[in-house]
């Protein structure tokens, strides 16, 4: 007979967890993603591999000159935003593992959980 | 797409999402090595319109996607301290992980994953930061030692060999001793700065005029309780009392006080009563015409003028015999008044100036306009340059012929007036006749043109040949 209000005993509640990794730098993002998935696979969790969203390019095209003089030269700047999704189907304790994972500096991590 | 109705991975309405961020420095678990250094921070999914409405309430009228609410701070009014039960939160160990129920039901995550509820006021890094500025909470002897102002020769300032033991002893025994010690040290220090003042405890007859009246006011100096009433009687105002508060807070050691006194002395020079002569200062105001000052000024002026002007009767006659004597006689008796007359200047212009030049050397000429020499163009018919051969004028015979009446003067139908009552046939006939005439005329013209062209070419060739072969021949 298990007490339902026993807080010490861990409840094995399976959740869907979606981890979204966003970054402007592709190299650090791929590194981070690989690290995460490798860590998950070592624990034999059901992981759905990195889903690569289409990369968004933000472009700014401006004149090079601060004044209007000179031949009309233009600068084209761009920033690329890459996004990767990883899905997990695992108990909650694994979430703690995510927090202790070392994260690359330029990567933003978002965790979304829902009931199973 | 065949799988349109497939159940989505995460139902967005029931899902909760978090940002994975570094733990806050104010979180007490930041120093804990076993606690995870990253925490989940729930994201706020306020809709755009709601957020904008909220922002407008606080005076932010921008309509972009940025969340300006994050920069707004709640006004911290007078707050009261309420003991919370969260004091026990940091003491929770690693073993127990209590599940934390999030706002939407059903999802349970371990609490260590989230930031602590209790946050300290000063963050971890700020605690480690060194304090800068004047440290008023230090003992004055410590500050003196740090400033190299320590009097090493004073026997009271030396530490005993077992000072640590003495410091660690229970405070009751040492209180009396310590207070005495600190007083003695204060006194000795007071002596350092103020030699005239006797560090006596019962000196009622304190002379305020004596020692440091003009010093900088130093309210920050530590005083023994005994010397309080002497201090208030002192005149501690200086010239710089009104200037700033911060300098009076800083401790003055010997050298600084000396410096201050010197500056005070130096600044005495600039006091108002000792201003020097106002030779170059401009004065404003009104003065009576017959006042004494103005008369004095005028007299001075006349005197100067009298000295400066050269009196001719004091001159000796010039000893050169060649000069006529008359010159010296006349103006001697009169006063010489130089009147400068400017003659009416003549106005010259360049044309008149130029006309004064002699024609021996000056040969004016009209400026000729030199147009650009045109490129030589060859006639396509003859191959010789255009406009080269002289154009032949009309001969006498040609002129005669032109004046003769020829058959071109005969009346033509086109020149005859049209009768008003004209039938259709007449009209048609007339028009037909006109057309015929025109046709003939065209043929004639063509023939004429051709004939003329050929003739012209022939003549040009002739001329050219003449020029080439015959001209310039010396026979």
């Amino acid at each position: 007979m298990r007490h339902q209000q026993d807080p010490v005993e861990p409840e094995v509640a399976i959740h869907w967890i979606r981890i979204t990794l966003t970054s402007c730098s592709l190299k650090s993002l791929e590194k981070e993603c690989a690290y995460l998935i490798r860590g998950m696979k070592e624990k034999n969790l059901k992981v759905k591999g990195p889903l690569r969203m289409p990369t968004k390019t933000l472009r700014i095209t401006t004149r090079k000159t601060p004044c209007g003089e000179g031949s009309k030269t233009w600068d084209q700047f761009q920033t690329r935003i890459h996004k990767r999704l990883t899905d997990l189907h695992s108990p909650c304790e694994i979430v703690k593992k995510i927090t202790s994972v070392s994260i690359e500096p330029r990567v933003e991590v978002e965790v979304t959980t829902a009931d199973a | 797409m065949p799988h349109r109705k497939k159940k989505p991975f995460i139902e967005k309405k029931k899902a909760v999402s978090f940002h994975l961020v570094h733990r806050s420095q104010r979180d007490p678990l930041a120093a804990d090595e076993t606690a995870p250094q990253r925490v989940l921070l729930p994201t706020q999914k306020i809709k755009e319109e709601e957020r904008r409405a909220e922002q407008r309430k606080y005076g932010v009228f921008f309509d972009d996607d940025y969340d300006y609410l994050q920069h707004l701070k709640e006004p911290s009014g007078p707050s009261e301290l309420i003991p919370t039960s969260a004091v026990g939160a940091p003491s929770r160990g690693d073993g127990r992980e209590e599940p934390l129920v999030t706002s939407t039901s059903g999802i349970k995550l371990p609490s260590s994953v989230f930031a602590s509820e209790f946050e300290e006021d000063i963050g971890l890094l700020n605690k480690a930061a060194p304090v800068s500025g004047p440290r008023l909470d230090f003992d004055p002897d410590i500050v003196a030692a740090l400033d190299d102002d320590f009097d090493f020769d004073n026997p009271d300032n030396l530490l005993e060999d077992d000072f640590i033991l003495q410091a660690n002893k229970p405070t009751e025994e040492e209180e009396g001793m310590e207070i005495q010690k600190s007083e003695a040290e204060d006194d000795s220090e007071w002596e350092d700065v103020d030699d005239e003042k006797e560090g006596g405890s019962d000196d009622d007859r304190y002379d305020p005029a004596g020692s440091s009246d003009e010093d900088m006011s130093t309210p920050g100096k530590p005083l023994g309780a005994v010397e309080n009433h002497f201090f208030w009687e002192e005149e501690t105002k200086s010239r710089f009392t009104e200037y700033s508060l911060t300098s009076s807070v800083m401790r003055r050691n010997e050298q600084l006080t000396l410096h201050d006194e010197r500056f005070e002395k130096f600044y005495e020079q600039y006091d108002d009563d000792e201003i020097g002569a106002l030779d170059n200062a401009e004065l404003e105001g009104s003065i009576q015409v017959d006042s004494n000052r103005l008369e004095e000024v005028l007299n001075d002026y006349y005197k100067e003028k009298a000295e400066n002007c050269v009196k001719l009767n004091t001159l000796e006659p010039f000893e050169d015999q060649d000069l006529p004597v008359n010159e010296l006689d006349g103006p001697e008796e009169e006063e010489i008044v130089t009147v400068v007359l400017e003659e009416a200047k003549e106005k010259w212009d360049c044309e008149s100036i130029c006309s004064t030049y002699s024609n021996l050397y000056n040969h004016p000429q009209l400026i000729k306009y030199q147009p650009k020499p045109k490129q030589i163009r060859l006639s396509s018919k003859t191959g010789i340059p255009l406009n080269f051969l002289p154009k032949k004028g009309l001969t006498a015979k040609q002129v005669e012929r032109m004046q003769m009446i020829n058959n071109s003067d005969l009346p033509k139908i086109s020149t005859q007036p049209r009768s008003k009552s004209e039938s259709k046939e007449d009209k048609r006939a007339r028009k037909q006749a006109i057309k015929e005439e025109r046709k003939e005329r065209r043929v004639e013209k063509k023939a004429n043109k051709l004939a003329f062209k050929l003739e012209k070419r022939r003549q040009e060739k002739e001329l050219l040949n003449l020029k080439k072969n015959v001209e310039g021949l010396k026979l």
Side-chain angles (χ1 to χ4, degrees):
Chain A
M1 295 282 280
R2 195 186 285 180
H3 291 280
Q4 283 186 354
Q5 288 178 0
D6 191 358
V8 182
E9 199 167 10
E11 296 177 0
V12 186
I14 309 278
H15 288 302
W16 290 110
I17 302 171
R18 172 169 274 176
I19 302 174
T20 313
L21 300 160
T22 322
S23 170
C24 289
S25 140
L26 187 66
K27 202 168 148 189
S28 29
L29 185 66
E30 287 292 333
K31 215 166 153 187
E32 182 62 35
C33 209
Y35 186 88
L36 203 68
I37 287 177
R38 202 178 54 227
M40 295 302 150
K41 279 191 178 166
E42 276 168 17
K43 293 172 190 65
N44 297 323
L45 299 171
K46 189 173 166 191
V47 180
K48 297 210 175 161
L51 182 65
R52 295 178 174 86
M53 305 304 273
T55 145
K56 298 174 211 174
T57 320
L58 312 173
R59 289 184 203 269
I60 293 177
T61 312
T62 42
R63 286 288 302 279
K64 277 186 183 173
T65 174
C67 58
E69 195 268 337
S71 48
K72 326 288 184 207
T73 47
W74 293 78
D75 257 334
Q76 284 159 338
F77 299 106
Q78 57 171 248
T79 311
R80 291 183 187 170
I81 300 180
H82 310 275
K83 194 165 160 186
R84 304 274 181 270
L85 301 176
T86 317
D87 294 336
L88 302 177
H89 188 64
S90 59
C92 279
E93 280 72 27
I94 302 304
V95 178
K96 192 186 166 191
K97 273 292 170 188
I98 296 169
T99 61
S100 58
V101 152
S102 75
I103 300 180
E104 293 267 325
R106 283 167 290 187
V107 179
E108 194 189 301
V109 181
E110 204 179 292
V111 175
T112 312
T113 48
D115 238 353
Chain B
M1 285 183 71
H3 297 293
R4 207 62 202 282
K5 291 285 180 178
K6 188 178 172 184
K7 185 185 162 191
F9 177 70
I10 280 181
E11 287 158 43
K12 294 218 170 151
K13 288 170 193 173
K14 288 188 191 172
V16 190
S17 57
F18 308 93
H19 283 296
L20 190 68
V21 294
H22 289 267
R23 199 179 277 274
S24 165
Q25 287 297 323
R26 294 199 181 154
D27 194 338
L29 288 178
D32 193 355
E33 283 172 6
T34 53
Q37 281 307 304
R38 291 180 207 264
V39 295
L40 294 177
L41 188 72
T43 52
Q44 278 127 3
K45 281 192 174 168
I46 311 175
K47 287 281 178 183
E48 297 281 310
E49 290 81 33
E50 288 170 22
R51 186 173 50 75
R52 279 179 201 161
E54 184 78 19
Q55 275 172 203
R56 268 183 226 123
K57 218 169 43 166
Y58 296 109
V60 175
F61 296 108
F62 302 121
D63 277 338
D64 58 0
D65 292 338
Y66 190 72
D67 178 26
Y68 292 91
L69 295 171
Q70 62 181 303
H71 300 294
L72 298 175
K73 192 178 136 183
E74 277 180 18
S76 57
S79 53
E80 37 177 286
L81 295 172
I82 300 171
T84 55
S85 58
V87 179
S91 64
R92 232 187 272 156
D94 302 331
R96 288 191 297 152
E97 286 178 0
E98 292 178 10
L100 186 80
V101 181
T102 55
S103 53
T104 63
S105 61
I107 301 168
K108 290 183 187 171
L109 293 164
S111 66
S112 60
V113 158
F114 292 97
S116 315
E117 292 161 7
F118 168 77
E119 271 196 2
E120 293 172 16
D121 282 336
I122 307 170
L124 201 66
L125 290 175
N126 288 343
K127 277 186 200 166
V131 182
S132 59
R135 298 300 304 269
L136 300 170
D137 49 338
F138 281 167
D139 276 338
D141 44 340
I142 296 174
V143 177
L146 288 171
D147 279 338
D148 288 338
D149 207 15
F150 204 67
D151 188 11
F152 287 101
D153 297 332
N154 194 335
D156 287 336
N157 278 350
L158 294 171
L159 288 170
E160 278 89 37
D161 289 334
D162 57 345
F163 68 95
I164 290 198
L165 290 172
Q166 284 183 358
N168 283 341
K169 264 188 196 173
T171 43
E172 300 133 22
E173 293 171 64
E174 292 300 313
E175 245 182 13
M177 266 185 68
E178 276 177 13
I179 285 176
Q180 275 182 28
K181 209 187 272 181
S182 66
E183 268 210 10
E185 280 171 6
D186 275 358
D187 288 352
S188 66
E189 211 198 5
W190 196 251
E191 276 175 17
D192 284 345
V193 177
D194 222 337
D195 286 330
E196 286 127 88
K197 203 172 178 183
E198 289 164 51
S201 38
D202 298 309
D203 196 4
D204 280 316
R205 287 172 288 116
Y206 177 64
D207 193 358
S211 55
S212 55
D213 287 350
E214 270 88 42
D215 265 359
M216 303 289 220
S217 65
T218 50
K221 259 189 188 166
L223 294 166
V226 198
E227 287 136 353
N228 269 343
H229 56 284
F230 303 124
F231 191 69
W232 305 130
E233 288 164 10
E234 256 185 67
E235 178 57 61
T236 50
K237 272 203 170 216
S238 72
R239 282 183 179 75
F240 308 100
T241 311
E242 313 293 316
Y243 279 36
S244 90
L245 190 62
T246 49
S247 54
S248 61
V249 167
M250 280 168 20
R251 268 195 67 75
R252 304 323 271 192
N253 56 14
E254 275 186 48
Q255 277 73 34
L256 281 175
T257 315
L258 184 65
H259 196 66
D260 295 335
E261 285 176 40
R262 277 200 198 143
F263 194 67
E264 185 76 19
K265 274 271 178 296
F266 170 72
Y267 219 75
E268 274 175 19
Q269 290 176 22
Y270 292 94
D271 278 344
D272 286 344
D273 359 335
E274 295 177 17
I275 292 172
L278 294 167
D279 282 337
N280 296 327
E282 285 186 354
L283 300 168
E284 275 187 41
S286 58
I287 189 171
Q288 298 298 318
V289 181
D290 50 350
S291 78
N292 284 342
R293 264 201 285 169
L294 201 61
E295 284 194 25
E296 277 173 41
V297 170
L298 286 171
N299 289 338
D300 286 338
Y301 176 73
Y302 285 134
K303 274 185 207 164
E304 268 191 54
K305 267 283 171 179
E307 281 165 28
N308 284 346
C309 82
V310 178
K311 294 257 159 63
L312 283 174
N313 45 19
T314 59
L315 286 178
E316 287 172 348
F318 193 49
E319 286 179 355
D320 195 353
Q321 298 301 323
D322 293 337
L323 282 176
V325 189
N326 290 337
E327 277 190 298
L328 291 171
D329 284 340
E332 250 187 78
E333 283 140 21
E334 295 169 6
E335 278 219 4
I336 298 169
V337 178
T338 49
V339 178
V340 180
L341 280 172
E342 280 203 15
E343 293 171 13
K345 275 191 175 176
E346 290 176 41
K347 290 190 179 171
W348 297 90
D349 60 335
C350 45
E351 211 179 18
S352 45
I353 291 286
C354 284
S355 62
T356 61
Y357 291 161
S358 147
N359 232 5
L360 290 174
Y361 313 107
N362 181 33
H363 306 288
Q365 221 181 22
L366 275 178
I367 300 167
K368 282 186 192 154
Y369 169 59
Q370 295 273 0
K372 204 172 81 174
K374 284 195 174 173
Q375 210 183 33
I376 296 169
R377 296 228 178 107
L378 297 177
S379 157
S380 55
K381 297 166 193 171
T382 52
I384 50 174
L386 292 168
N387 303 332
F388 172 61
L389 294 169
K391 284 188 180 154
K392 284 187 134 183
L394 294 168
T395 57
K397 219 179 182 183
Q398 282 174 337
V399 171
E400 220 188 287
R401 269 182 73 190
M402 276 172 71
Q403 285 180 347
M404 266 172 39
I405 300 171
N406 44 12
N407 50 357
S408 61
D409 296 331
L410 285 172
K412 292 186 184 165
I413 305 172
S414 54
T415 51
Q416 280 167 9
R418 181 165 60 98
S419 64
K420 290 225 168 158
S421 55
E422 213 181 24
S423 64
K424 279 202 176 171
E425 286 97 19
D426 285 342
K427 191 176 175 182
R428 203 182 288 146
R430 188 173 54 86
K431 291 235 183 242
Q432 207 64 30
I434 289 171
K435 280 186 185 171
E436 292 290 335
E437 273 178 11
R438 282 189 191 153
K439 211 190 246 178
E440 281 165 21
R441 183 71 196 127
R442 273 203 287 270
V443 172
E444 268 180 45
K445 273 200 243 181
K446 191 144 191 186
N448 281 347
K449 266 193 201 169
L450 199 65
F452 271 85
K453 222 192 269 185
L454 291 170
E455 186 59 34
K456 188 177 174 188
R457 263 194 222 160
R458 195 187 63 78
Q459 281 185 7
E460 273 183 1
K461 264 191 199 163
E462 225 182 84
L463 269 176
L464 191 67
N465 283 333
L466 273 174
K467 246 193 153 140
K468 242 195 325 189
N469 305 325
V470 176
E471 250 185 39
L473 261 182
K474 286 190 178 168
L475 293 170

